[in-house]
């Protein structure tokens, strides 16, 4: 039996805006297993980034975590609900045991400080080094690990002196500086050139092996999923609609949305026939459709789908779907 490192249970996050309450994610539940790369996929606005940020309470106003638990399993076998921790307690875990790599390296780095200082500071705030001087010295090794050439000199560079790919390597360096148990990578290659994307993914895979970390990878790119993940969670309009291994999701998608998503992009594990778009538009999450949120776009929708929210059911070992057809 795979052991979970994080169990997300019935997590709901709402944003209280002037236009109304945006139900960004509702009743989201899934486990992240120790040592795996789990991909969280879905269209823009489906709630994948909100879910990943809510894991360490990184939800800013007007957002609010309105329900749920995030059970974190420590190495000593004890567990803690991260949502019950104080701001100070969660800051101890965030950036240390659970680290993030965000999409845009330009906004993740502070233009006023050298990259060495920023990596060193990440270690200093969690007590991994005695002072910033020691942190900057250790940053040289970290830059070497993220394959930045000439790290002894690069450590003194400011972010504007580096290319986009190099900046993202520095951001990854900050992410792994404290040897995290869980690394959350939110669209880590989206802002980069295609040629650099492959190098960054390779680097992430290598660091994961080296540090024996667990990775939660947020992406809308199914090619990235096929190359890096073992399991996939598919989200639609703030809900989890399917969970399975990469093989189950790519070869036997059960939810009509997953199947439509795979037909809408070149399937990296299948034969490309003809790409199809998904009819209709993503629903407004202030007034999401009743019942199954996919029903206005689903070719199989029937009366029950318009009234009753489908629950996640295990259809074969490890393969879950939320659809009344099953
Ligand atoms: Fe389609 Fe109904 Fe299944 Fe929703 S529950 S995906 S509307 S068949």
């Amino acid at each position: 039996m795979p052991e979970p490192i994080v169990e997300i249970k019935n997590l709901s996050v709402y944003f209280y805006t002037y236009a109304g309450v945006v139900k960004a994610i509702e009743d989201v539940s899934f486990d992240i297993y120790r040592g795996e790369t789990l991909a969280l996929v879905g269209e823009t606005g489906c709630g994948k980034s909100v879910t990943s940020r809510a894991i360490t309470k990184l939800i800013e106003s007007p957002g609010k975590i309105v329900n749920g638990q995030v059970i974190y399993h420590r190495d000593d076998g004890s567990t803690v609900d991260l949502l019950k921790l104080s701001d100070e307690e969660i800051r101890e875990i965030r950036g240390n045991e659970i680290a993030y790599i965000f999409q845009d390296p330009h906004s993740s780095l502070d233009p006023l400080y050298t990259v060495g200082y920023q990596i060193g500071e990440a270690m200093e705030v969690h007590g991994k080094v005695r002072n910033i001087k020691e942190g900057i010295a250790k940053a040289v090794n970290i830059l070497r690990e993220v394959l930045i050439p000439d790290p002894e000199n690069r450590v003194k560079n400011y972010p504007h002196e580096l290319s986009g790919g190099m900046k993202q390597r520095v951001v990854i360096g900050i992410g792994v500086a404290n040897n995290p148990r869980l690394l959350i990578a939110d669209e880590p290659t989206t802002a980069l050139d295609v040629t650099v994307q492959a190098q960054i993914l390779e680097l992430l895979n290598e660091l994961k092996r080296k540090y024996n970390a667990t990775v939660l990878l947020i992406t809308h790119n199914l090619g990235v999923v096929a190359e890096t993940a073992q399991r996939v969670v598919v989200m639609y309009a703030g809900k989890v609609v399917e969970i399975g291994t990469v093989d189950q999701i790519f070869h036997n998608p059960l939810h009509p949305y997953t199947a439509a998503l795979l037909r809408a992009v070149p399937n990296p594990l299948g034969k490309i026939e003809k790409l199809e778009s998904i009819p209709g538009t993503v629903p407004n999450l202030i007034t999401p459709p009743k019942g199954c949120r996919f029903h206005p776009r689903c070719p199989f929708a029937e009366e029950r789908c318009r009234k009753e929210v489908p629950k996640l059911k295990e259809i074969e070992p490890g393969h879950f779907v939320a659809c009344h057809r099953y």
Side-chain angles (χ1 to χ4, degrees), residues 241 254-257 291-302 304-306 308-310 321-326:
V241 296
L254 298 176
H255 197 281
Y257 172 67
C292 170
R293 290 188 176 183
F294 191 56
H295 84 249
R297 303 172 81 182
C298 181
F300 308 103
E302 43 189 58
R304 186 180 175 200
C305 307
R306 286 178 257 278
E308 220 180 286
V309 179
V321 67
C323 172
H324 292 310
R325 294 177 81 208
Y326 300 93

Side-chain angles (χ1 to χ4, degrees), residues 53-94:
R53 297 177 77 99
I55 290 174
T56 65
K57 295 172 75 177
L58 255 185
I59 301 291
E60 279 159 22
S61 176
K64 203 168 169 227
I65 298 169
V66 293
N67 188 38
Q69 289 179 302
V70 176
I71 307 296
Y72 177 56
H73 293 246
R74 296 186 190 274
D75 271 339
D76 63 7
S78 65
T79 58
V80 61
D81 180 358
L82 296 181
L83 303 187
K84 293 224 169 85
L85 296 184
S86 66
D87 288 353
E88 200 182 320
E89 287 168 328
I90 197 78
R91 268 200 301 271
E92 270 301 303
I93 290 181
R94 193 192 302 134

